[in-house]
Amino acid sequence: MRRIRGLRRPSGAGRADVRPGARPALALPALLTLALALAGCADEPTTPRAGGEEPGGRTPPRMLGLVEITISGLGTAEVTSSALGAPTVEALERVRAERAAGGTAGRAAPGGLAPQDFTLPDDSTGDRDGTIQLEPLSTGSFTDGVRGSGGVRYLYATYRVRNAPDGGGAGYNTERRNLTFYAVDTDGTIDQTAVSVLELFNGDAADPALAAQLIPTGAAAKDPGTNTIESVEPDVLQVLTEAEADAIQALADPAGVTDVFPYGFVVQNAGDPTSRTLPANPAPGQFDGVVTFAFKVPLQADPAADPFTVTAVFLAVDDDEVKLTQSLDEQALAGRLAFGERAASLGASLVTLLPGGVYGGTIPSRRICRVRAAGPAVDPTGYLVNVSPATWSGLSPDPYAAGSIAQNAQIAASFDAVVVGASAETFVVHGMQSGRQFLGASYAGNGTSTVTAPAAGFFPGEEVEVVLTPGL
């Protein structure tokens, strides 16, 4: 994040270049400085290494197997979820086929696992293959907006996670750190997406184009009082750069994974807000983790064309680097506060922001403006976000040329592309004597390349600071 301050000029150094309609400057005009806090989008972040011990004692990420999550009953009051898992894509397809045939429901298949479990590598003792227990906790869906005109259906499935083999056996003697399920493309998924099944209520295949429109979200709910989407809790969605996804792909190749998408869902420690670690040797029935898989998909003009069943495939990876992502659903004030508190409690090493996100803490941050959700990296067909960031190009009055501004001056910021999101929290005007200005006032120009803060009276001779945040 860069912070640039404008030059300070003596009061009375001349009239400011104010917008039409501004009042003449006072005899003792206010000064103007600029504090610019715009973070660029990440290009080459720290990339996890594929093997061996890393500098500083960091353990590299480990590929832990595949899991396929199915959410069914969408659009009804009976929404359910189930999971399948296996060490490889080939084994996962075999388990899926055997379950569909009805002959091995609830039992482990040769080379595969029973529903609701996925394979981990050998325990540290090397005496057996491992599985992680996943137990369904809650599943649901709700809609927002107008059907066929921007309306969407949110869907989610939450599972409890136990660091132990399938069948409730003794827990592992190795802990799981920052376990995350990353969406993957396989030979069995639809049109280079993570979606393997997309069905209508009658069991027919839904429009395959909808697979690329299944977009990951954070944990969100609809407030019945305000009818708005709000964050339920932070630290659910994880977003990576393509470079980081490539590093995980190197781990996933032996499992038959075609492509790793740069997003996933994080396993939290359900009982400890300061850690994501699932401890070793859990007691029988001791589920220390919880994970939520959450998406939204467009509502179709005809309700009969809405997906009734959605299945997606994920790769489980653990890593000792603590990174958090602020989802789009966490960009309102309450969500931002909860996100900041969560990052601090975990002692995160890095926070990731999406376009419009704001983080005011001290943990290093980065911004990712394009997140692929479908298609190959060289030619994506679907995005979580896809924003070409605007570059700030000028402020009027110009702090480097005009030493004073009018008492009731409007302050305008110009960009080289259309910008939105101007508000008292993203375009901050602060008088060093009069205090923060324009609270609750409207900002003109959202959706254009120039946005203007409303006029407010400054004190004669005071310095005025303007802060443009990454929320623009």
Side-chain angles (χ1 to χ4, degrees), residues 67-70 80-84 114-118 131-139 157-168 179 181 267 270 278 283-293:
V67 62
E68 186 176 72
I69 301 295
T70 297
T80 62
S81 178
S82 62
L84 287 176
Q116 302 176 3
D117 296 299
F118 69 91
T131 62
I132 282 286
Q133 287 183 276
L134 295 181
E135 179 180 274
L137 185 60
S138 64
T139 308
T158 301
Y159 283 80
R160 296 203 301 164
V161 184
R162 180 170 181 255
N163 186 24
D166 176 34
L179 183 62
F181 296 86
V267 176
L278 305 187
Q286 178 184 333
F287 287 79
D288 295 294
V290 62
V291 61
T292 296
F293 302 88

Side-chain angles (χ1 to χ4, degrees), residues 269-282:
N269 185 308
D272 185 357
T274 67
S275 174
R276 287 183 183 151
T277 299
L278 305 187
N281 302 309

Side-chain angles (χ1 to χ4, degrees), residues 12 14-16 18 22-30 403-409 460:
R15 289 189 58 168
V18 297
R23 298 182 183 180
L26 300 181
L28 294 174
S404 63
I405 63 173
Q407 180 185 19
N408 289 329

Side-chain angles (χ1 to χ4, degrees), residues 285-314:
Q286 178 184 333
F287 287 79
D288 295 294
V290 62
V291 61
T292 296
F293 302 88
F295 291 90
K296 62 182 178 182
V297 64
L299 291 170
Q300 303 302 288
D302 180 0
D306 286 343
F308 180 79
T309 299
V310 174
T311 301
V313 184
F314 302 89

Side-chain angles (χ1 to χ4, degrees), residues 209 347 370 375:
R370 291 184 179 88

